Amino acid sequence: MAFENKYVQQRIEKAQLLKEAGFNPYSNDSQRNTTIEKYLNVNEDIENKENKRDENRHYIVSGRIKLLRIMGKASFVKIEDESGMLQVYVARDNLPQDFYNTIFKKHIEVGDIIEVEGYPFITGKGELSIHATALKLLTKAIAPLPEKFHGVTDKEIRYRKRYLDLIMNAEVRKTFQTRSKVISLTRRFFEDKGFLEVETPMMHPIPGGANAKPFVTHHNALSIDRYLRIAPELYLKRLIVGGFEAVFEINRNFRNEGMDATHNPEFTSIEFYWAYKTYKDLIEITKEYFQYLFEHLDLPSRLPYGELEVNFNNFMEIPLIESLTSVGGVPAEVTNDKEKIINFLKSKNITVKPKLNLGQLQGELFDEFVEEKLIDPTFITEYPVEISPLARRSDDNPAITERFELFIAGREIANAFSELNDPIDQYERFKGQVDAKDAGDDEAHEMDEDFIDALSYGMAPTAGQGIGIDRLVMLLTNEHSIRDVLLFPAMKPISNEKEEEEK
RNA sequence: GUCUUGUUAGCUCAGCUGGUAGAGCACGUCACUUUUAAUGAUGUGGCCGAUGGUUCGAAUCCAUCACAGGACACCA
């Protein structure tokens, strides 16, 4: 099946002919001495030179051929390296005997990676280019590139063959460069604040730290199952018990659940834990973090996102119950009464699951009427305790927790709270989860006795926060599908029926 | 999981109420020494996602399946 395509055949033939003519189609002898970006910068002054050229300057650049215009005895070639695109002027009479006609015109084509030796000059149409005095093939591409104008737009091809997407779409490369910067800046921000980066297990004996279905794998040496982690939380808190006072981890979590525009089975988050602090300190450091990102990524504080414009100068803070009325338009007298909420939801044609408690119903109201309206960054605080099983209760009001979620552009970006550090309370909450699990909730939390043990030794009062890096990058790059910020998003394998038959 | 829209040449796409396929780019050949998606001439290229059905006849109609996009549900 491989290489049977006729265009591929043609190119394989060309590679063979090159080999026979003494030119290695996969040469390992690159002499590149500058990047395209540097070449273009350094030679900006050529404009002022006589004849707009300088034959005394000498450069060797490399790149993939993206465009090829052959015009008889001279040609224009656009080559691209990671730093940019450069036009190469190739003229028959400036190259070794016969090279232009027998090698260049016949066997070098779009997609190939070449190396060009030459000097800078500006063409009649005003484009700074390189005038080739020698040209060498570095790598023969035997597969043809997609069309030069439309490129590749088919999402399936773009995700399955990300390399092609990256070759063809410069803006895709840009998105992933931004992603890389976000992670690097995040690391630097927390390190500068005195946080210690740590690595905790990715394979857990007991999945914990979130309510989600885990992936299961098997460890042969111990004959036990392991779970790919759904969150690092419980291990990071063990480190706070151990005496580290500020830790963070940036890494992958795995959840065995559905996939859509905002969910991939493996996703990246940062979680950080900060001893002797509360969620109020987290609000401050979160604002600072965004300021730091915007400054270093050179983003406008009024950030466009799709149809929206998000004003990052306008961080707001609203208690959840208050937001139901002030943002969601739910009458104030409804928001603290179970029956009234149920009737209100029913009057809006929203089906309500039976047996929800007040906190859960308030959560429903929030999801239905508030979340999507929170465009500018908004910290929603004072979550009901019923929907915040890992958060510390407020000392002033035991019905609510010291917690916030940060919403931007109608989407949850971060979740944070002052941590529960009472081992007995934690034990009781785990037990409640185990009961729920026995009652059929397969996403309920497992009992983790070692974690209870850890808390028993005493964990300093601590605040902790998680930020979804993928969704953050989506926001900062104006992308609307998580697949567009993951280099290799999860895809179903293609089952090739013909291949099966052949076996 | 449900609904919905796609799947035609290497790529981007046409193809009406059924009569066994078309363009542009790419590729081959020819011309052309300053082009900018170069141009002009000419040619090659397809199991129309898969399987079954209806029909004298299916890219087109129907069913099932596969994969993808979108929406909804689930994921506190």
Side-chain angles (χ1 to χ4, degrees), chain A residues 243-266:
Chain A
F244 290 122
E245 294 180 5
V247 294
F248 74 98
E249 179 165 10
I250 301 174
N251 222 319
R252 230 67 70 78
N253 296 321
F254 306 86
R255 296 189 184 173
N256 204 340
E257 289 166 353
M259 294 154 61
D260 61 30
T262 55
H263 296 83
N264 195 66
E266 52 180 306

Side-chain angles (χ1 to χ4, degrees), chain A residues 62-77:
Chain A
S62 303
R64 186 187 297 277
I65 301 178
K66 297 298 288 287
L67 285 168
L68 191 52
R69 293 186 280 273
I70 296 179
M71 308 176 5
K73 298 179 187 64
S75 300
F76 290 91
V77 186

Side-chain angles (χ1 to χ4, degrees), chain A residues 3 30 41 91 106 118 137 143 151 180 245 265 333 350 353 359 488-489:
Chain A
F3 310 135
S30 172
N41 286 337
K106 292 288 177 189
L137 178 66
S180 175
E245 294 180 5
E333 70 271 17
I350 296 160
K353 276 183 242 155
F488 299 99

Side-chain angles (χ1 to χ4, degrees), chain A residues 181 185 188 291-299:
Chain A
K181 276 187 204 158
L185 288 167
R188 208 166 77 199
Q291 200 174 13
Y292 184 84
L293 285 182
F294 271 63
E295 192 178 308
H296 288 87
L297 292 170
D298 207 19
L299 292 170

Side-chain angles (χ1 to χ4, degrees), chain A residues 79-364:
Chain A
I79 64 170
E80 189 174 41
D81 70 7
E82 191 182 347
S83 70
M85 183 101 79
L86 174 66
Q87 176 168 269
V88 182
Y89 179 67
V90 184
R92 184 190 68 182
D93 299 338
N94 293 300
L95 290 173
Q97 185 75 33
D98 287 343
F99 184 88
Y100 183 82
N101 282 323
T102 61
I103 303 299
F104 176 77
K105 268 168 73 174
K106 292 288 177 189
H107 301 317
I108 293 192
E109 55 206 316
V110 172
D112 293 349
I113 298 170
I114 61 170
E115 193 156 275
V116 176
E117 206 171 329
Y119 59 85
F121 81 115
I122 292 179
T123 64
K125 296 281 160 70
E127 181 167 344
L128 175 55
S129 308
I130 185 166
H131 195 124
T133 54
L135 191 148
K136 177 165 75 184
L137 178 66
L138 286 183
T139 301
K140 184 72 191 166
I142 62 170
L145 285 184
E147 200 235 4
K148 62 185 172 190
F149 188 55
H150 299 93
V152 56
T153 59
D154 183 281
K155 286 198 165 157
E156 186 167 358
I157 298 177
R158 290 188 42 227
Y159 298 148
R160 286 192 197 277
K161 303 191 171 197
R162 182 66 87 185
Y163 47 89
L164 250 195
D165 190 24
L166 290 166
I167 289 172
M168 299 307 295
N169 298 314
E171 69 285 0
V172 173
R173 293 198 292 272
K174 184 85 170 46
T175 297
F176 287 104
Q177 282 159 353
T178 301
R179 181 184 173 112
S180 175
K181 276 187 204 158
V182 168
I183 290 171
S184 161
L185 288 167
T186 301
R187 180 167 280 126
R188 208 166 77 199
F189 177 81
F190 284 99
E191 282 178 345
D192 288 353
K193 292 272 172 200
F195 283 76
L196 184 72
E197 181 170 14
V198 295
E199 292 164 280
T200 64
M202 309 288 280
M203 297 203 294
H204 290 183
I206 300 167
N211 292 27
K213 288 178 207 140
F215 286 93
V216 189
T217 187
H218 191 74
H219 188 182
N220 291 338
L222 299 181
S223 294
I224 53 167
D225 283 341
R226 298 272 194 195
Y227 302 89
L228 299 190
R229 75 175 186 196
I230 54 177
E233 173 156 351
L234 301 186
Y235 284 93
L236 292 170
K237 286 190 204 169
R238 282 172 170 98
L239 295 177
I240 300 292
V241 172
F244 290 122
E245 294 180 5
V247 294
F248 74 98
E249 179 165 10
I250 301 174
N251 222 319
R252 230 67 70 78
N253 296 321
F254 306 86
R255 296 189 184 173
N256 204 340
E257 289 166 353
M259 294 154 61
D260 61 30
T262 55
H263 296 83
N264 195 66
E266 52 180 306
F267 63 98
T268 301
S269 70
I270 173 169
E271 284 200 15
F272 61 96
Y273 290 82
W274 208 7
Y276 309 111
K277 301 287 180 183
T278 71
Y279 80 109
K280 296 229 180 245
D281 300 300
L282 296 180
I283 288 179
E284 292 314 307
I285 201 175
T286 301
K287 288 182 189 170
E288 231 181 288
Y289 169 65
F290 271 94
Q291 200 174 13
Y292 184 84
L293 285 182
F294 271 63
E295 192 178 308
H296 288 87
L297 292 170
D298 207 19
L299 292 170
S301 59
R302 287 179 176 272
L303 187 75
Y305 188 70
E307 305 285 293
L308 305 171
E309 188 186 84
V310 182
N311 183 358
F312 279 87
N313 290 324
N314 184 29
F315 276 86
M316 290 177 290
E317 204 178 311
I318 312 175
L320 188 135
I321 302 298
E322 191 186 314
S323 78
L324 298 179
T325 302
S326 67
V327 179
V330 179
E333 70 271 17
V334 169
T335 58
N336 268 309
D337 186 302
K338 232 176 105 168
E339 293 309 316
K340 285 184 180 163
I341 295 175
I342 291 172
N343 288 333
F344 183 78
L345 285 168
K346 278 184 182 159
S347 76
K348 299 284 179 185
N349 277 327
I350 296 160
T351 49
V352 193
K353 276 183 242 155
K355 289 199 264 182
L356 291 188
N357 56 43
L358 179 61
Q360 289 170 321
L361 286 166
Q362 288 166 335
E364 287 288 315

